[in-house]
Structures are given as structure tokens and as C-alpha cells.
Amino acid sequence: MLRRSLRVVVILLFLASSAVGDSRGRFLPAVSYRTGAGAFSVAVADLNGDGIPDLAVPNSYDSTITILAGQGDGTFIHAKTFRSCASVFWLAAGDLNGDGRIDLVATCRVGLARNIAVMLNSPSGFLPPQFYEDGFADGPNSVVVADFDEDGILDLMVSDAEICFLKGNGDGSFQPAQLYASHGPTDSLVAADFNNDGHLDVAAGELSIGADIFLGNGDGTFQPATAVGDPLKPASVAAGDFNRDGHLDLVLADEGKTVTTFLGNGDGTFQAPVTQEVGKGPRSVTVADFNGDGAVDIAVTIIEAGGVTVMYGRGDGTFPLLRQFSAGGGNAGSFGIASADFNHDRASDLAVVDKDNHTVSVLLNSGGTFVTSTSSENPAPAGQPVTFTATVAPSLISTIPTGSVTFADGTTILATLPLDQNGVASYTTSGLSTGTHTIRMKYSGDSNFNPNMGPPISEVIQ
């Protein structure tokens, strides 16, 4: 049974420095890119197959989708804009037909009875939309792509007056929607395993009671909805393990001023909600470990001053530190948000869209580094010294990293040594036995930089 109680409200100040005395997890000033009119959400995926994350933005005012191609250094170039469907609202990405290219799915809010648009990615670009119905006329909200029936083929789940499951056929087409009743109209969705049974479940932000949980049976069917939370008006929902107990938790962004977290019990039920004020008009929420401390953090867009509030987790389910960053917008504010590593420095960055300024803004995480791993000789003779060197370089700021590097042979720690004034640490040994060793070099992080790991070295001793 769900544990229901009065909501606990926590009001926190926006702090300028970390509770642990460091400045990790900060973001550089936003760099904005033009989209079409009315950019609402953003999807991150490798759309051109070059191994670099790209951005796809649905433009609700002009019914188009803008593709921005990532360059691998955190910058983007305008790749294409193409027609989608009337009032395109939300995007999700996945390989829907098994051809190795990432396709797009959009929800369309007005003007169409067939209001789900599937755009397959071909060698010549995205094909014209194929349309599907979700069974309602008022317009769907969000869509998620996942394999809900565990047949190796991606399916769709769509939020509307109820939630709608569309089984994938494997060729990019879908079967008619199966509807599952909710306690009211649903908004955003997240797919995750909330009861630890190995099957994907669905949490739907529900506009009158907080959220509905639909436990999955692993065959594309779901158990009846169970309500979670007090009356809210959630604009977005996401999942993460906020207290590191192995059970997934929920976070809901309320359209008022708050974000609410629900710690999961591991059986599909949740503990009493805890609510924090984050700024006026929270809209969209994403989760990642932005400061590299091993605890999941929360980033939420807010209308106020076109900003993003980052809630830094302690790993116990609480978020004692909040920081606010400008996303480059005005008073109209930020809407959709996504997190990913855009410059391959192992630090999570942010992409934020502003529907009235017609932009998507990228905020790069200043805590990223590049760690290179080298060996003085490979293969090396048995009994002779070999030196392993880790060089830690900042990806975005000019400060030289401090801290230490731990050298390990597989899971066996060999040594932990400090970085020198150039960000270099070296370890020499002649004690490796004959055979192949996997040498790993892990950077500890410091007050400015997140922990990081260099690429492993397969060292052969002859």
C-alpha cells in the first residue's frame, strides 16, 4: 500500500558555493542556437551516425523539426529543418526499424486525428512522417521509446487523456494503440523498472494527483494505475536513484515553484513526497551526476529569467544545495531540457530550449577533463621496469587539475600518486607477472574538476 501523508515542504536558499566547499558541477555561460518558431522540447541522439550527440528540436509554431549536428567539442551547427506535423510538441528517438540509424517520433497537438508522427532516418535524410492515432482528439503530450514487450523491437508509449501503448513491428510501423486508464489527463512520461522485477514500468505525470504508476508485465501489458503524490500540476517527471539504495525514485516538476521527490520502496510504491522551491515556473526536468560525486542531481528549467536550477544530491535523497544558471533566454523562460556529454570530457552538459526566443542553448559543464593513459613499453620484458603515466588536462577552463591518480591492475590497486604541477602522475613497477594486465588510471577530481578515468591499457608482460 502506498504511504500517503501531508507533503513535507523544504525551502532552500540559492547558494553560491558548494556544501562540500568545492565549485564542481557548474556550467559555463550558455551558447544559443537558432531553431524554428516555438521550440518546445529537445531530444539528444546520434542522428548522423558519427558517434557524436546531436540535437533535435520540435518547433511547435511552424510545425517543423530542427536538427543541430554536434561537432564533438560541445558546439553545434545547423544541419537541417524539415516539416513534421501540426503543432509538433514532443520528440523521442530510437532505431525503430533496426537499420542502425536513429529515427524520430513526435506528438502533434492540433489539426490531426492521427496525431503521432514517425519519421524514419534514411541515407538521404528523414522520410515524410507516417501517422498513427493515440485514440484521443485533444492532442497527445509526451512520448517515450522503449522495448516494453521484450521482443527486441522498440515500442511507443504516449501520454494523453490516458496512456497509450503502440507495439512496434520492427520495420518502423506500429500496431493500433492500446489504452490504459489513468486518474486524469497525463503529461510527461518516464519508463523505468520501479519494482525491480526486470520489466519496464511507466510513470506518468498526472495533472490532478501527481503521478500514475503503471507496472509492466514484460509483455506489453500493464497493471492498473496506482496514484502517487499529493495534488500537484506536474509539468515533467523523471526517475533516478537519489538515495543510492538500488531502488528508483521519482522527481516531478510542478508548474508553480516547486520540485517534488518521491523515494521508491523497490516494489512500485513510494514514500512521502518532499517538496523544494526552485524558482518560478518549473517546466522540464532531467537527472544526471553533474559534479561527479556519485550522487544523482536534478536540473529543472524555470520560467524565471530563462534559467535552469540545478539541485545537487547528497546521495541520501536530499538536495541541500541549489544553484541557478542562465540559459540565455528572457522572461518567457526555458521549457524543454536534456542532459548529455556533448564534448566527450565525461561531464554531463545541458541543452535547454526556449519556445518564445526560438533557441536551444547549450550549457557546458566546467568540471570536465581529458585523461590520457600511456605505457613506457608495451609489450615489456618480465622483471623489467615499466612506467604508466596519466595526464589530466582541463577540457574547458585554464586551471591545471590537482588531486591524485589511482593506478590499478584490474581490481588490484597498485598505487595512488598526486598530480604534479603539469597535471601528470606516473607509476613505475617491475613486479607485473607474465601475461596480459589491464591497467586502469582513475583521476580523483579536485575542487574544480569531476573524477574521471583514462582509457585502460592492455599491458603485455613477456
PDB file of all heavy atoms in Angstrom, residues 72-73 341 343-346 367-373 390-396 401 423 443 449 452-455:
ATOM      1  N   GLY A  72      31.415  17.490 -31.513  1.00  0.00           N
ATOM      2  CA  GLY A  72      32.293  16.733 -30.633  1.00  0.00           C
ATOM      3  C   GLY A  72      33.034  17.574 -29.626  1.00  0.00           C
ATOM      4  O   GLY A  72      33.658  17.034 -28.710  1.00  0.00           O
ATOM      5  N   ASP A  73      32.984  18.901 -29.779  1.00  0.00           N
ATOM      6  CA  ASP A  73      33.669  19.799 -28.850  1.00  0.00           C
ATOM      7  C   ASP A  73      32.682  20.633 -28.044  1.00  0.00           C
ATOM      8  O   ASP A  73      33.050  21.617 -27.407  1.00  0.00           O
ATOM      9  CB  ASP A  73      34.625  20.722 -29.610  1.00  0.00           C
ATOM     10  CG  ASP A  73      33.916  21.570 -30.667  1.00  0.00           C
ATOM     11  OD1 ASP A  73      32.685  21.413 -30.845  1.00  0.00           O
ATOM     12  OD2 ASP A  73      34.600  22.380 -31.319  1.00  0.00           O
ATOM     13  N   ASP A 341      26.746  14.269 -22.490  1.00  0.00           N
ATOM     14  CA  ASP A 341      28.136  14.728 -22.581  1.00  0.00           C
ATOM     15  C   ASP A 341      28.405  15.139 -24.017  1.00  0.00           C
ATOM     16  O   ASP A 341      28.672  14.308 -24.877  1.00  0.00           O
ATOM     17  CB  ASP A 341      29.079  13.609 -22.133  1.00  0.00           C
ATOM     18  CG  ASP A 341      30.544  14.019 -22.187  1.00  0.00           C
ATOM     19  OD1 ASP A 341      30.825  15.207 -22.456  1.00  0.00           O
ATOM     20  OD2 ASP A 341      31.403  13.152 -21.959  1.00  0.00           O
ATOM     21  N   ASN A 343      30.871  17.087 -25.271  1.00  0.00           N
ATOM     22  CA  ASN A 343      32.264  17.273 -25.714  1.00  0.00           C
ATOM     23  C   ASN A 343      33.181  16.150 -25.245  1.00  0.00           C
ATOM     24  O   ASN A 343      34.394  16.304 -25.233  1.00  0.00           O
ATOM     25  CB  ASN A 343      32.804  18.635 -25.268  1.00  0.00           C
ATOM     26  CG  ASN A 343      32.723  18.835 -23.765  1.00  0.00           C
ATOM     27  OD1 ASN A 343      32.042  18.091 -23.054  1.00  0.00           O
ATOM     28  ND2 ASN A 343      33.415  19.835 -23.261  1.00  0.00           N
ATOM     29  N   HIS A 344      32.616  15.023 -24.830  1.00  0.00           N
ATOM     30  CA  HIS A 344      33.369  13.807 -24.531  1.00  0.00           C
ATOM     31  C   HIS A 344      34.412  14.005 -23.427  1.00  0.00           C
ATOM     32  O   HIS A 344      35.481  13.399 -23.460  1.00  0.00           O
ATOM     33  CB  HIS A 344      34.048  13.260 -25.801  1.00  0.00           C
ATOM     34  CG  HIS A 344      33.103  12.912 -26.895  1.00  0.00           C
ATOM     35  ND1 HIS A 344      32.226  11.855 -26.828  1.00  0.00           N
ATOM     36  CD2 HIS A 344      32.878  13.497 -28.104  1.00  0.00           C
ATOM     37  CE1 HIS A 344      31.519  11.787 -27.945  1.00  0.00           C
ATOM     38  NE2 HIS A 344      31.890  12.781 -28.733  1.00  0.00           N
ATOM     39  N   ASP A 345      34.083  14.839 -22.432  1.00  0.00           N
ATOM     40  CA  ASP A 345      35.011  15.047 -21.312  1.00  0.00           C
ATOM     41  C   ASP A 345      34.500  14.398 -20.037  1.00  0.00           C
ATOM     42  O   ASP A 345      34.979  14.701 -18.950  1.00  0.00           O
ATOM     43  CB  ASP A 345      35.281  16.535 -21.100  1.00  0.00           C
ATOM     44  CG  ASP A 345      34.031  17.306 -20.688  1.00  0.00           C
ATOM     45  OD1 ASP A 345      32.930  16.711 -20.670  1.00  0.00           O
ATOM     46  OD2 ASP A 345      34.159  18.511 -20.398  1.00  0.00           O
ATOM     47  N   ARG A 346      33.522  13.511 -20.166  1.00  0.00           N
ATOM     48  CA  ARG A 346      32.977  12.735 -19.053  1.00  0.00           C
ATOM     49  C   ARG A 346      32.313  13.610 -17.995  1.00  0.00           C
ATOM     50  O   ARG A 346      32.280  13.243 -16.820  1.00  0.00           O
ATOM     51  CB  ARG A 346      34.067  11.864 -18.424  1.00  0.00           C
ATOM     52  CG  ARG A 346      34.751  10.890 -19.368  1.00  0.00           C
ATOM     53  CD  ARG A 346      33.871   9.692 -19.688  1.00  0.00           C
ATOM     54  NE  ARG A 346      33.668   8.866 -18.528  1.00  0.00           N
ATOM     55  CZ  ARG A 346      34.492   7.892 -18.134  1.00  0.00           C
ATOM     56  NH1 ARG A 346      35.594   7.634 -18.848  1.00  0.00           N
ATOM     57  NH2 ARG A 346      34.236   7.169 -17.066  1.00  0.00           N
ATOM     58  N   GLY A 367      33.435  21.139 -15.203  1.00  0.00           N
ATOM     59  CA  GLY A 367      34.197  20.161 -14.436  1.00  0.00           C
ATOM     60  C   GLY A 367      34.797  19.028 -15.240  1.00  0.00           C
ATOM     61  O   GLY A 367      35.357  18.082 -14.672  1.00  0.00           O
ATOM     62  N   GLY A 368      34.727  19.111 -16.567  1.00  0.00           N
ATOM     63  CA  GLY A 368      35.221  18.021 -17.393  1.00  0.00           C
ATOM     64  C   GLY A 368      36.722  18.042 -17.596  1.00  0.00           C
ATOM     65  O   GLY A 368      37.371  19.095 -17.538  1.00  0.00           O
ATOM     66  N   THR A 369      37.289  16.875 -17.838  1.00  0.00           N
ATOM     67  CA  THR A 369      38.714  16.727 -18.128  1.00  0.00           C
ATOM     68  C   THR A 369      38.914  15.684 -19.228  1.00  0.00           C
ATOM     69  O   THR A 369      38.022  14.890 -19.526  1.00  0.00           O
ATOM     70  CB  THR A 369      39.520  16.276 -16.891  1.00  0.00           C
ATOM     71  OG1 THR A 369      38.987  15.030 -16.420  1.00  0.00           O
ATOM     72  CG2 THR A 369      39.479  17.316 -15.791  1.00  0.00           C
ATOM     73  N   PHE A 370      40.115  15.699 -19.791  1.00  0.00           N
ATOM     74  CA  PHE A 370      40.555  14.634 -20.687  1.00  0.00           C
ATOM     75  C   PHE A 370      41.718  13.920 -20.002  1.00  0.00           C
ATOM     76  O   PHE A 370      42.715  14.557 -19.634  1.00  0.00           O
ATOM     77  CB  PHE A 370      41.004  15.199 -22.030  1.00  0.00           C
ATOM     78  CG  PHE A 370      39.916  15.936 -22.761  1.00  0.00           C
ATOM     79  CD1 PHE A 370      40.061  17.284 -23.046  1.00  0.00           C
ATOM     80  CD2 PHE A 370      38.757  15.291 -23.155  1.00  0.00           C
ATOM     81  CE1 PHE A 370      39.062  17.971 -23.729  1.00  0.00           C
ATOM     82  CE2 PHE A 370      37.752  15.975 -23.829  1.00  0.00           C
ATOM     83  CZ  PHE A 370      37.902  17.317 -24.111  1.00  0.00           C
ATOM     84  N   VAL A 371      41.589  12.616 -19.815  1.00  0.00           N
ATOM     85  CA  VAL A 371      42.623  11.813 -19.165  1.00  0.00           C
ATOM     86  C   VAL A 371      43.239  10.885 -20.204  1.00  0.00           C
ATOM     87  O   VAL A 371      42.541  10.064 -20.798  1.00  0.00           O
ATOM     88  CB  VAL A 371      42.060  11.004 -17.989  1.00  0.00           C
ATOM     89  CG1 VAL A 371      43.165  10.193 -17.318  1.00  0.00           C
ATOM     90  CG2 VAL A 371      41.391  11.930 -16.969  1.00  0.00           C
ATOM     91  N   THR A 372      44.544  11.034 -20.430  1.00  0.00           N
ATOM     92  CA  THR A 372      45.251  10.138 -21.332  1.00  0.00           C
ATOM     93  C   THR A 372      46.090   9.162 -20.531  1.00  0.00           C
ATOM     94  O   THR A 372      46.642   9.503 -19.474  1.00  0.00           O
ATOM     95  CB  THR A 372      46.154  10.916 -22.300  1.00  0.00           C
ATOM     96  OG1 THR A 372      47.073  11.718 -21.555  1.00  0.00           O
ATOM     97  CG2 THR A 372      45.325  11.821 -23.186  1.00  0.00           C
ATOM     98  N   SER A 373      46.187   7.931 -21.009  1.00  0.00           N
ATOM     99  CA  SER A 373      46.936   6.869 -20.334  1.00  0.00           C
ATOM    100  C   SER A 373      48.017   6.361 -21.283  1.00  0.00           C
ATOM    101  O   SER A 373      47.730   6.039 -22.442  1.00  0.00           O
ATOM    102  CB  SER A 373      46.005   5.711 -19.952  1.00  0.00           C
ATOM    103  OG  SER A 373      44.883   6.157 -19.246  1.00  0.00           O
ATOM    104  N   ALA A 390      49.585   8.951 -16.371  1.00  0.00           N
ATOM    105  CA  ALA A 390      48.284   9.568 -16.604  1.00  0.00           C
ATOM    106  C   ALA A 390      48.471  11.075 -16.696  1.00  0.00           C
ATOM    107  O   ALA A 390      49.116  11.677 -15.827  1.00  0.00           O
ATOM    108  CB  ALA A 390      47.307   9.232 -15.490  1.00  0.00           C
ATOM    109  N   THR A 391      47.920  11.667 -17.735  1.00  0.00           N
ATOM    110  CA  THR A 391      47.946  13.123 -17.907  1.00  0.00           C
ATOM    111  C   THR A 391      46.512  13.622 -17.892  1.00  0.00           C
ATOM    112  O   THR A 391      45.679  13.164 -18.687  1.00  0.00           O
ATOM    113  CB  THR A 391      48.626  13.512 -19.221  1.00  0.00           C
ATOM    114  OG1 THR A 391      49.956  12.982 -19.256  1.00  0.00           O
ATOM    115  CG2 THR A 391      48.676  15.027 -19.363  1.00  0.00           C
ATOM    116  N   VAL A 392      46.237  14.547 -16.969  1.00  0.00           N
ATOM    117  CA  VAL A 392      44.884  15.070 -16.796  1.00  0.00           C
ATOM    118  C   VAL A 392      44.878  16.525 -17.271  1.00  0.00           C
ATOM    119  O   VAL A 392      45.585  17.369 -16.719  1.00  0.00           O
ATOM    120  CB  VAL A 392      44.427  14.983 -15.332  1.00  0.00           C
ATOM    121  CG1 VAL A 392      42.983  15.449 -15.199  1.00  0.00           C
ATOM    122  CG2 VAL A 392      44.581  13.554 -14.808  1.00  0.00           C
ATOM    123  N   ALA A 393      44.083  16.801 -18.296  1.00  0.00           N
ATOM    124  CA  ALA A 393      44.012  18.143 -18.871  1.00  0.00           C
ATOM    125  C   ALA A 393      42.586  18.668 -18.772  1.00  0.00           C
ATOM    126  O   ALA A 393      41.627  17.909 -18.980  1.00  0.00           O
ATOM    127  CB  ALA A 393      44.464  18.128 -20.327  1.00  0.00           C
ATOM    128  N   PRO A 394      42.407  19.946 -18.478  1.00  0.00           N
ATOM    129  CA  PRO A 394      41.047  20.511 -18.437  1.00  0.00           C
ATOM    130  C   PRO A 394      40.460  20.592 -19.836  1.00  0.00           C
ATOM    131  O   PRO A 394      41.176  20.830 -20.811  1.00  0.00           O
ATOM    132  CB  PRO A 394      41.268  21.899 -17.838  1.00  0.00           C
ATOM    133  CG  PRO A 394      42.673  22.251 -18.217  1.00  0.00           C
ATOM    134  CD  PRO A 394      43.443  20.955 -18.207  1.00  0.00           C
ATOM    135  N   SER A 395      39.172  20.381 -19.936  1.00  0.00           N
ATOM    136  CA  SER A 395      38.532  20.448 -21.247  1.00  0.00           C
ATOM    137  C   SER A 395      38.075  21.852 -21.607  1.00  0.00           C
ATOM    138  O   SER A 395      38.042  22.203 -22.790  1.00  0.00           O
ATOM    139  CB  SER A 395      37.330  19.504 -21.294  1.00  0.00           C
ATOM    140  OG  SER A 395      36.340  19.894 -20.355  1.00  0.00           O
ATOM    141  N   LEU A 396      37.746  22.683 -20.608  1.00  0.00           N
ATOM    142  CA  LEU A 396      37.119  23.959 -20.914  1.00  0.00           C
ATOM    143  C   LEU A 396      37.757  25.165 -20.231  1.00  0.00           C
ATOM    144  O   LEU A 396      37.718  26.262 -20.765  1.00  0.00           O
ATOM    145  CB  LEU A 396      35.628  23.918 -20.535  1.00  0.00           C
ATOM    146  CG  LEU A 396      34.768  22.944 -21.334  1.00  0.00           C
ATOM    147  CD1 LEU A 396      33.382  22.846 -20.725  1.00  0.00           C
ATOM    148  CD2 LEU A 396      34.673  23.377 -22.790  1.00  0.00           C
ATOM    149  N   PRO A 401      44.453  20.798 -13.358  1.00  0.00           N
ATOM    150  CA  PRO A 401      43.876  19.932 -12.344  1.00  0.00           C
ATOM    151  C   PRO A 401      44.882  19.541 -11.272  1.00  0.00           C
ATOM    152  O   PRO A 401      46.072  19.348 -11.548  1.00  0.00           O
ATOM    153  CB  PRO A 401      43.423  18.702 -13.147  1.00  0.00           C
ATOM    154  CG  PRO A 401      43.237  19.214 -14.537  1.00  0.00           C
ATOM    155  CD  PRO A 401      44.297  20.255 -14.718  1.00  0.00           C
ATOM    156  N   GLY A 423      49.779  18.473 -14.129  1.00  0.00           N
ATOM    157  CA  GLY A 423      48.663  17.552 -14.197  1.00  0.00           C
ATOM    158  C   GLY A 423      49.053  16.151 -14.610  1.00  0.00           C
ATOM    159  O   GLY A 423      48.257  15.446 -15.243  1.00  0.00           O
ATOM    160  N   TYR A 443      41.401   9.270 -12.092  1.00  0.00           N
ATOM    161  CA  TYR A 443      41.654  10.593 -11.534  1.00  0.00           C
ATOM    162  C   TYR A 443      40.640  10.878 -10.430  1.00  0.00           C
ATOM    163  O   TYR A 443      39.445  10.660 -10.594  1.00  0.00           O
ATOM    164  CB  TYR A 443      41.565  11.639 -12.632  1.00  0.00           C
ATOM    165  CG  TYR A 443      41.561  13.067 -12.149  1.00  0.00           C
ATOM    166  CD1 TYR A 443      42.546  13.539 -11.276  1.00  0.00           C
ATOM    167  CD2 TYR A 443      40.577  13.956 -12.564  1.00  0.00           C
ATOM    168  CE1 TYR A 443      42.536  14.849 -10.828  1.00  0.00           C
ATOM    169  CE2 TYR A 443      40.572  15.265 -12.127  1.00  0.00           C
ATOM    170  CZ  TYR A 443      41.542  15.704 -11.256  1.00  0.00           C
ATOM    171  OH  TYR A 443      41.532  16.995 -10.809  1.00  0.00           O
ATOM    172  N   PHE A 449      37.279  20.056 -10.679  1.00  0.00           N
ATOM    173  CA  PHE A 449      37.085  19.048 -11.713  1.00  0.00           C
ATOM    174  C   PHE A 449      36.482  17.767 -11.152  1.00  0.00           C
ATOM    175  O   PHE A 449      36.828  17.327 -10.054  1.00  0.00           O
ATOM    176  CB  PHE A 449      38.421  18.738 -12.394  1.00  0.00           C
ATOM    177  CG  PHE A 449      39.014  19.929 -13.092  1.00  0.00           C
ATOM    178  CD1 PHE A 449      40.086  20.615 -12.540  1.00  0.00           C
ATOM    179  CD2 PHE A 449      38.493  20.383 -14.292  1.00  0.00           C
ATOM    180  CE1 PHE A 449      40.633  21.724 -13.166  1.00  0.00           C
ATOM    181  CE2 PHE A 449      39.030  21.480 -14.932  1.00  0.00           C
ATOM    182  CZ  PHE A 449      40.099  22.159 -14.371  1.00  0.00           C
ATOM    183  N   ASN A 452      37.476  11.277 -13.043  1.00  0.00           N
ATOM    184  CA  ASN A 452      37.459  10.778 -14.410  1.00  0.00           C
ATOM    185  C   ASN A 452      38.360   9.553 -14.498  1.00  0.00           C
ATOM    186  O   ASN A 452      39.173   9.297 -13.602  1.00  0.00           O
ATOM    187  CB  ASN A 452      37.917  11.866 -15.385  1.00  0.00           C
ATOM    188  CG  ASN A 452      37.448  11.619 -16.803  1.00  0.00           C
ATOM    189  OD1 ASN A 452      36.940  10.547 -17.126  1.00  0.00           O
ATOM    190  ND2 ASN A 452      37.608  12.614 -17.659  1.00  0.00           N
ATOM    191  N   MET A 453      38.229   8.818 -15.569  1.00  0.00           N
ATOM    192  CA  MET A 453      39.010   7.611 -15.783  1.00  0.00           C
ATOM    193  C   MET A 453      39.646   7.663 -17.164  1.00  0.00           C
ATOM    194  O   MET A 453      38.971   7.966 -18.161  1.00  0.00           O
ATOM    195  CB  MET A 453      38.102   6.375 -15.688  1.00  0.00           C
ATOM    196  CG  MET A 453      38.816   5.054 -15.901  1.00  0.00           C
ATOM    197  SD  MET A 453      39.639   4.428 -14.416  1.00  0.00           S
ATOM    198  CE  MET A 453      38.232   3.869 -13.479  1.00  0.00           C
ATOM    199  N   GLY A 454      40.942   7.359 -17.223  1.00  0.00           N
ATOM    200  CA  GLY A 454      41.604   7.263 -18.513  1.00  0.00           C
ATOM    201  C   GLY A 454      41.252   5.943 -19.186  1.00  0.00           C
ATOM    202  O   GLY A 454      40.794   5.002 -18.554  1.00  0.00           O
ATOM    203  N   PRO A 455      41.505   5.846 -20.484  1.00  0.00           N
ATOM    204  CA  PRO A 455      41.259   4.567 -21.179  1.00  0.00           C
ATOM    205  C   PRO A 455      42.186   3.494 -20.641  1.00  0.00           C
ATOM    206  O   PRO A 455      43.369   3.745 -20.398  1.00  0.00           O
ATOM    207  CB  PRO A 455      41.553   4.903 -22.644  1.00  0.00           C
ATOM    208  CG  PRO A 455      42.416   6.124 -22.609  1.00  0.00           C
ATOM    209  CD  PRO A 455      42.011   6.882 -21.396  1.00  0.00           C
TER     210      PRO A 455
END
